[in-house]
Amino acid sequence: MSYPKTALMLDAGFASLPLQRAVKTAGFRTLVCSGKAQDAGMQTADITCNQNYADSEAVLKIAQQHLVAALLPGVTDVSYLSGCRVAHSLGLPGFDAPDVSDTIFLKDRFRAWALSKGLPVPQAAWTGAQARQLTLPLLVKPVDAYSGNGITKVTDWAMLDAAIETARSASPGKQYVVENFCEGALYSHSAFIRNGAIVCEFFVDEYCTVYPWQVNSSSLSQNLSSGMRDSVSECMQSIVSDLRLVDGLLHTQFIASEGQFWLIELTRRCPGDLYSRLIELSTGVNYADWFVAPFLGKSTPAAPRRPAQTRAIARHTISVERAMRFTGFAFKSLPADLIEVLPLTTPGTLVGPAPGDRAGLIFAEFRDDAALRQMTPHLKDYFLLNAYEGLSDV
């Protein structure tokens, strides 16, 4: 009797569930590794291991013990950075070499590499003295944090030292980068690579309307010109070629304004908050299947280079500016159909302020592109937390 091969996934958060489902659909048994036993992915996996996957040596032992045939990251940077080291040791597919991964994921290393290549990125500095040679305003960031944690906009030189300390405190490696603040609209570019070439790509409009450095509303792009899309795509293809990236996803956030754009962050893990579902609902392309394929030793399927939007879908993450006791959601009248509502907490739970916490995820379908374009930046005004009097005080 033959048994299915085992695939080890390094993430158990709710946003990893479509990836786990895609792995199961491909015929693999799922082994999920996480230090959070209560996470959703730990409830749906075939096998679980309560282990912080940031410890790559521990993950390597787990992979060897279970004779895994595949290893996958989830939606966190750590899951990819740890996974690439284990995959490199075991000869498993889907990951770049560790030095390439560090160049992409670590903000200071990427800025330095990109500037050396003449790529469109903000001017950057790595010490307070260097930072004072830049022009205000500035952003100070941890090099290895995520979800906007530890970022400060500096508009006065008197703010710089405190901003550096905030970034260092939020950085696991206690490292930071300072860069010029680029004014413009925020977008993402999600590209799938096959044999060194981008073969399928998506552009998404992104909005940060609760916490200034964390996306909470988005839709397939209604705003980017075709010329800007071509320019971004050509730039990303040059990165793919220069770094010789393996097959899989390259996901990028960038800022664009008046014919210019600046690369902000690159990653090769799956973006969070069910970005995969936004693409699937909007275009019919099964983004999760595409993402997991290279890690399973499979090729991504054929699709148009830029799949057409077939439904006017917006995604919104419900978060709050101050801590509140969750008792439910309040929905104001909106010219859209709520097609999926995903609660991420339970009544009575304290929901912390963004970017550290979120209460739910909403997918809404609008009647046309004009309504989608008009309403997506304002979704926070329509999806709210209920909090009974006295329960929101902490």
Side-chain angles (χ1 to χ4, degrees):
M1 181 178 180
S2 62
Y3 293 92
K5 295 179 180 179
T6 299
L8 171 58
M9 177 171 288
L10 306 183
D11 191 1
F14 77 93
S16 71
L17 292 179
L19 309 182
Q20 189 182 146
R21 183 164 53 248
V23 172
K24 287 175 177 282
T25 300
F28 285 75
R29 179 173 54 179
T30 56
L31 164 61
V32 172
C33 178
S34 172
K36 300 177 180 178
Q38 74 279 9
D39 274 355
M42 298 288 270
Q43 318 309 316
T44 56
D46 297 310
I47 314 168
T48 62
C49 183
N50 192 352
Q51 168 65 53
N52 183 347
Y53 52 74
D55 185 342
S56 59
E57 289 299 322
V59 172
L60 176 59
K61 291 178 182 177
I62 292 167
Q64 291 170 330
Q65 176 186 351
H66 289 272
L67 303 176
V68 301
L71 175 66
L72 299 92
V75 303
T76 67
D77 288 352
V78 174
S79 69
Y80 192 98
L81 290 171
S82 181
C84 76
R85 286 159 169 79
V86 176
H88 185 68
S89 296
L90 297 178
L92 295 175
F95 290 89
D96 293 311
D99 62 327
V100 174
S101 300
D102 289 346
T103 297
I104 291 173
F105 279 80
L106 301 181
K107 296 178 181 66
D108 56 341
R109 289 187 57 165
F110 175 71
R111 289 289 183 273
W113 179 83
L115 288 168
S116 75
K117 295 290 184 178
L119 295 172
V121 294
Q123 289 297 308
W126 293 272
T127 69
Q130 291 175 347
R132 292 181 186 277
Q133 305 304 309
L134 301 177
T135 303
L136 293 173
L138 306 172
L139 285 183
V140 183
K141 303 177 177 180
V143 304
D144 49 5
Y146 56 93
S147 296
N149 285 291
I151 297 178
T152 304
K153 183 179 179 181
V154 173
T155 56
D156 186 287
W157 292 115
M159 302 170 60
L160 182 60
D161 289 344
I164 288 173
E165 186 54 37
T166 296
R168 283 172 53 83
S169 297
S171 165
K174 305 303 179 186
Q175 300 296 314
Y176 66 92
V177 62
V178 184
E179 60 188 34
N180 281 125
F181 177 76
C182 297
E183 193 74 50
L186 181 64
Y187 302 92
S188 62
H189 173 249
S190 239
F192 286 97
I193 303 161
R194 188 190 306 131
N195 298 326
I198 294 174
V199 295
C200 186
E201 60 188 349
F202 308 89
F203 292 88
V204 169
D205 296 336
E206 301 196 328
Y207 303 95
C208 308
T209 60
V210 173
Y211 181 76
W213 321 118
Q214 183 184 54
V215 174
N216 62 320
S217 298
S218 57
S219 70
L220 224 64
S221 186
Q222 309 298 302
N223 301 320
L224 273 177
S225 68
S226 60
M228 180 62 75
R229 294 174 197 237
D230 291 344
S231 295
V232 172
S233 185
E234 289 170 10
C235 177
M236 301 317 299
Q237 179 60 62
S238 73
I239 292 174
V240 171
S241 300
D242 277 355
L243 292 176
R244 299 182 180 180
L245 300 184
V246 300
D247 288 4
L249 175 70
L250 177 62
H251 181 80
T252 306
Q253 282 189 314
F254 66 97
I255 290 173
S257 176
E258 298 180 354
Q260 292 182 285
F261 69 92
W262 300 270
L263 307 179
I264 303 303
E265 290 189 5
L266 277 64
T267 188
R268 303 219 63 191
R269 48 88 174 168
C270 186
D273 288 344
L274 295 184
Y275 187 103
S276 61
R277 187 64 174 149
L278 171 66
I279 300 300
E280 183 178 4
L281 289 170
S282 299
T283 67
V285 172
N286 195 319
Y287 187 104
D289 282 358
W290 279 63
F291 177 78
V292 305
F295 300 102
L296 303 180
K298 301 177 181 294
S299 296
T300 53
R305 172 64 180 256
R306 294 177 184 168
Q309 176 184 301
T310 56
R311 299 172 69 183
I313 302 293
R315 175 192 64 160
H316 179 68
T317 303
I318 301 177
S319 54
V320 292
E321 295 175 337
R322 62 183 180 86
M324 302 176 69
R325 292 283 176 189
F326 175 73
T327 61
F329 298 119
F331 300 140
K332 291 187 177 180
S333 179
L334 183 73
D337 294 327
L338 295 184
I339 57 174
E340 292 183 9
V341 178
L342 179 66
L344 300 177
T345 189
T346 55
T349 300
L350 181 67
V351 178
D357 212 349
R358 48 181 65 78
L361 198 62
I362 305 291
F363 291 93
E365 183 169 12
F366 289 83
R367 61 179 177 270
D368 54 36
D369 289 350
L372 181 67
R373 179 184 301 109
Q374 178 185 2
M375 299 305 301
T376 301
H378 306 289
L379 291 177
K380 78 175 183 69
D381 299 325
Y382 292 86
F383 303 121
L384 310 169
L385 257 65
N386 271 336
Y388 291 142
E389 186 70 25
L391 289 184
S392 60
D393 299 328
V394 295

